[in-house]
Amino acid sequence: MADQKPAAEIADLLQEDRTFPPPEAFRAQASVRDEAVYARAARDPEGFWAGFASELEWFSPWTSVLDWKPPHARWFVGGTLNASVNCVDRHVRGARRNKAAIIWEGEPGDRRTLTYFDLYRQVSQFANVLTSLGVRRGDRVAIYLPLVPELAIAMLACARIGAIHSVVFGGFSAESLRDRINDAAATLLITADGGWRRGQVVPLKQMADEALKETPSIKNVVIVARLHDSAAPVHVKEGRDHWYHLLMQEASYTCEPERMDAEDMLYILYTSGTTGKPKGIVHTTGGYLVGTYATTKWVFDLKDEDVFWCTADIGWVTGHSYVVYGPLANGATVVMYEGAPDWPQRDRFWEIVERYGVTIFYTAPTAIRAFMRWGTEWPRRRDLSSLRLLGSVGEPINPEAWVWYYRHVGGERCPVVDTWWQTETGSILITPLPGLTTCKPGSATRPFPGISAEIRTDQGETVEVGGGFLVLTRPWPSMLRGIYGDPDRYVTQYWSRWTPDIYFTGDGAKRDRDGFFWLLGRVDDVLNVAGHRIGTMEVESALVDHPRVAEAAVVGRSHEIKGQAVAAFVTLKEGVQGGDVLMSELKDHVVRKIGAIARPDDVIFTADLPKTRSGKIMRRLLRDIAEGKALGDTTTLADPNVIARLKEQYQETGE
Ligand code: WTA
């Protein structure tokens, strides 16, 4: 864990005194209004979680709520259940049978609505399809789809037969897809002929074909016909590739769900860490479902009449937990939109809110900052009066953006819940409860009931008021259970900084006098670009993979819309000259290796990188240069002249 910046340093810069109590009309109807929930959960956290668990449907009950042998937890020990039964079957048996489960809109404007009964049938059918293609309990299934209903159907169908899904975001490159398939040894891939993004076709099957050249474990490929005809010609490999709609025509509507142990794996989701290799975060069935169910219900004050729209792509954890599992376990109506927020115009999101009467809207600060820049006329054009609650996730939200969101989207009547969590935590952990919490813009406020978070110093001392490292000091049901295929990394990465019962989040934070948490960003070599996690080492590996690059160091710099942007300092091999052509070639190379989300904003060619006398790259100095800031301590630098040269160059080439 190289070079951590003390959170306390930046903590002092944050000053925000405005407070926003729950708007009265909202408070009056909110389900959770009693402060006592916190004390009750703190007294008996296991009982608190068991209360939510008992609202779900189990084949057989658990014998103990928690078995905690730090850092390994088992929740709802001995219980058996099926996630798809909880997300569909149980709603079909009652009044929600004909309720809209998914309201979907494609970017070109095509629309579909699936009721819970539709969803139930299609999940069962596709589960039978998977079985007919040889997928068995415990097998891994890779999913590489645009944001279409078939993505949720595929996940739930896997869950139904006990297969483990690994969803790969459609914006990732062929190589990223290949590596994820191989890491999990997936036997089947579900993809599409393509998807739409800003009026362009994203040729997913073509990219998948590239990946499939080197994925020996894949036996079958299922292709969803999203574009149907023309737009992208699709290669269908005889015997391996099958069209989704043809398989579905043959499939029966009934499929007996597998009885899964609470601790059986539900899915793997890859996320960036501090090495060049993404980690396959493992979530299990019972605890994950309890965590997402409980937080969707309480954080979003969910009611049966709500229309819930989380704008995240399902390729990220936010989509797993708050497009699919959390809302569907609650029997909610979920909106899904395939495309870009500014397509064909900058009011597309508000048009969708108006069209479907969205009541709860959950998005990322990077989107809010873009809306701010586009101006208030766009939300003003549409009727947003159906909205009653707003949420934010993925990165720290600056107070200015919070207040803008509250005013111009929420019309000052909707609470804003700033929710902190991670792929690893599975569900929201630090958040307001909207009927209860008086919010301060920029603060994620307090740990959810039953969650225990603290600020620690490097030495492990607890900081009551002030800055430091954010840690979690008690296990929670939806916590990750491991890193796929790498049990040691699970322990060293998260549980080894102090004692093995303390989870290190990788985030810096400060706690104020009211016990509110203010998130300050990552303290490790992980960037957060437009709400997406990117490891600096991954980008560095992609760069040094280029034949002309000798060495690369990647840092984040602040960016008005994206929060952070990627700045790459590159030294070239002997005799190679930098220049605009090579610069864009290197950016494209990173896109090819990882995906467009990792494209460097700045590439700075340099003869040397600032190193300590022992040869370690001093990233802190590079960050300061990229930010155009005064430089920190340079006394340990091997060659002090490097810095002066770099600063000069950055001013010339940096954007
Ligand atoms: C950051 C996304 C501040 C944080 C759910 C965390 C946040 C990382 C917030 C996880 C927030 C997420 N305020 N920072 N409300 N929410 N983060 O795994 O740095 O994609 O560690 O999960 O995003 O990113 P991930």
Side-chain angles (χ1 to χ4, degrees), residues 271 316-318 362 365 392-397 418-425 430 442 444 505-507 518-522 526 528 531-533:
T271 189
W316 306 103
V317 75
T318 305
Y362 188 35
S392 167
V393 60
E395 30 169 342
I397 180 166
D418 172 8
T419 62
W420 176 89
W421 58 295
Q422 309 178 302
T423 305
E424 292 87 342
T425 71
I430 302 182
T505 61
D507 276 327
W518 300 74
L519 276 300
L520 302 169
R522 303 286 307 193
V526 173
N528 192 326
H532 299 147
R533 259 166 88 163

Side-chain angles (χ1 to χ4, degrees), residues 425-493:
T425 71
S427 58
I428 295 168
L429 295 195
I430 302 182
T431 175
L433 290 177
L436 193 57
T437 312
T438 290
C439 293
K440 303 180 191 180
S443 169
T445 75
R446 298 165 68 179
F448 189 79
I451 300 298
S452 171
E454 288 179 10
I455 307 288
R456 294 271 169 120
T457 64
D458 212 1
Q459 287 71 41
E461 292 138 17
T462 303
V463 178
E464 288 301 329
V465 176
F469 301 118
L470 178 67
V471 304
L472 302 164
T473 54
R474 197 190 280 147
W476 63 101
S478 63
M479 62 196 270
L480 78 163
R481 299 300 196 270
I483 295 176
Y484 193 78
D486 199 347
D488 295 340
R489 194 171 172 194
Y490 168 74
V491 179
T492 53
Q493 181 84 54

